[in-house]
Amino acid sequence: MLALVTGASRGIGEKCAERLAKDGYTVLVHYHQSSDAAKQLADRIGGIPVQADLGDFHQIDRMTEEIQRSFGTVDLLVNNAGIALNGLFQDIPDAEAIRLFAVDVGGVMHTAKRLLPAMLRAHSGCIVNIASVWGECGASCEVHYSAAKAAVIGFTKALAQEVGPSGIRVNCVSPGVIDTEMNRMHGPDTMQMLAAETPLGTIGRPEDIAEAVAFLASDRAKFITGQILPVNGGFYI
């Protein structure tokens, strides 16, 4: 079994790659710039590093063509890679907003588009997209990120309906506040406040998201598609 995990060099993507390797997948460890971390992870789990800037469709085309030529059909795609912006909506530079949507929405959709034909021919396959609780409820000072993750949720539901008759499942994991490098930019005081606002009284770990991804990718979830699985400690109910 072959899995591609985007943004796998650290954080949630790294833990997803490790968890899927334990389940017997050969994991393609995608990275953009963190080549050393990706290669170390690949060595550790018996995976294969692959590189592309997911904000550039031409690079996605090159990466997916190389993958399919060298390794065959990808059985599982985990669209995890993403970037965030923090600041007042009107203060975010247009170029940064365009870049966020190119990666967080365009990268998700175009990677799936390029890998789907082989899945359709095989009448099997699984896609798990990583969204965010902010895509469900919105977040002040993260308007672009919230909108992008809402788009990922809509994409998940629509694509699941389209490709379900071909035996392909498409689901989404929606993390709450997770202890990642991306979230640590908020600072310890904000992270403590967010933990206090979470009914379970703590923030999540990347491993918590990886377990949800592994479940949705497995036969235990063979009758689940088009669903958004919140992993948020009760932060948004």
Side-chain angles (χ1 to χ4, degrees):
M1 299 184 293
L2 185 66
L4 169 61
V5 180
T6 66
S9 63
R10 60 185 178 179
I12 289 171
E14 177 184 6
K15 296 306 177 184
C16 287
E18 290 176 350
R19 183 64 179 79
L20 293 170
K22 290 180 180 178
D23 283 348
Y25 282 93
T26 298
V27 181
L28 299 162
V29 178
H30 163 264
Y31 68 96
H32 175 203
Q33 295 175 315
S34 303
S35 60
D36 289 344
K39 290 171 183 176
Q40 289 171 12
L41 173 62
D43 289 344
R44 191 164 72 247
I45 66 173
I48 302 150
V50 294
Q51 190 277 337
D53 176 356
L54 298 188
D56 183 335
F57 282 13
H58 294 296
Q59 292 197 35
I60 293 173
D61 291 344
R62 184 262 308 156
M63 177 186 72
T64 53
E65 288 168 6
E66 290 176 356
I67 287 170
Q68 293 178 106
R69 182 172 60 251
S70 299
F71 308 107
T73 300
V74 172
D75 302 291
L76 168 63
L77 168 62
V78 180
N79 276 313
N80 165 74
I83 56 178
L85 290 173
N86 187 264
L88 293 173
F89 171 66
Q90 66 269 23
D91 292 341
I92 299 297
D94 290 345
E96 293 185 20
I98 291 168
R99 171 68 180 171
L100 182 144
F101 275 92
V103 175
D104 290 13
V105 182
V108 167
M109 296 180 70
H110 198 67
T111 303
K113 183 177 183 179
R114 288 297 178 241
L115 296 179
L116 263 173
M119 291 183 179
L120 290 168
R121 288 192 296 270
H123 280 266
S124 69
C126 181
I127 298 172
V128 181
N129 300 316
I130 306 297
S132 168
V133 65
W134 304 136
E136 298 180 78
C137 66
S140 174
C141 293
E142 292 197 59
V143 172
H144 294 89
Y145 182 75
S146 298
K149 290 303 186 178
V152 170
I153 289 171
F155 169 66
T156 298
K157 293 181 176 182
L159 186 63
Q161 294 191 56
E162 185 170 312
V163 301
S166 296
I168 299 164
R169 297 186 300 108
V170 186
N171 289 293
C172 184
V173 175
S174 182
V177 184
I178 307 298
D179 184 16
T180 64
E181 184 176 325
M182 181 185 291
N183 279 328
R184 290 185 207 119
M185 70 179 181
H186 297 301
D189 291 342
T190 299
M191 294 298 282
Q192 287 179 2
M193 180 189 70
L194 291 168
E197 292 178 3
T198 302
L200 289 183
T202 186
I203 60 176
R205 304 171 305 143
E207 290 88 347
D208 298 323
I209 308 306
E211 288 294 335
V213 169
F215 165 70
L216 289 173
S218 73
D219 285 343
R220 293 169 292 166
K222 64 183 178 181
F223 199 53
I224 299 175
T225 196
Q227 302 306 305
I228 313 306
L229 176 57
V231 185
N232 63 27
F235 186 86
Y236 178 68
I237 298 175

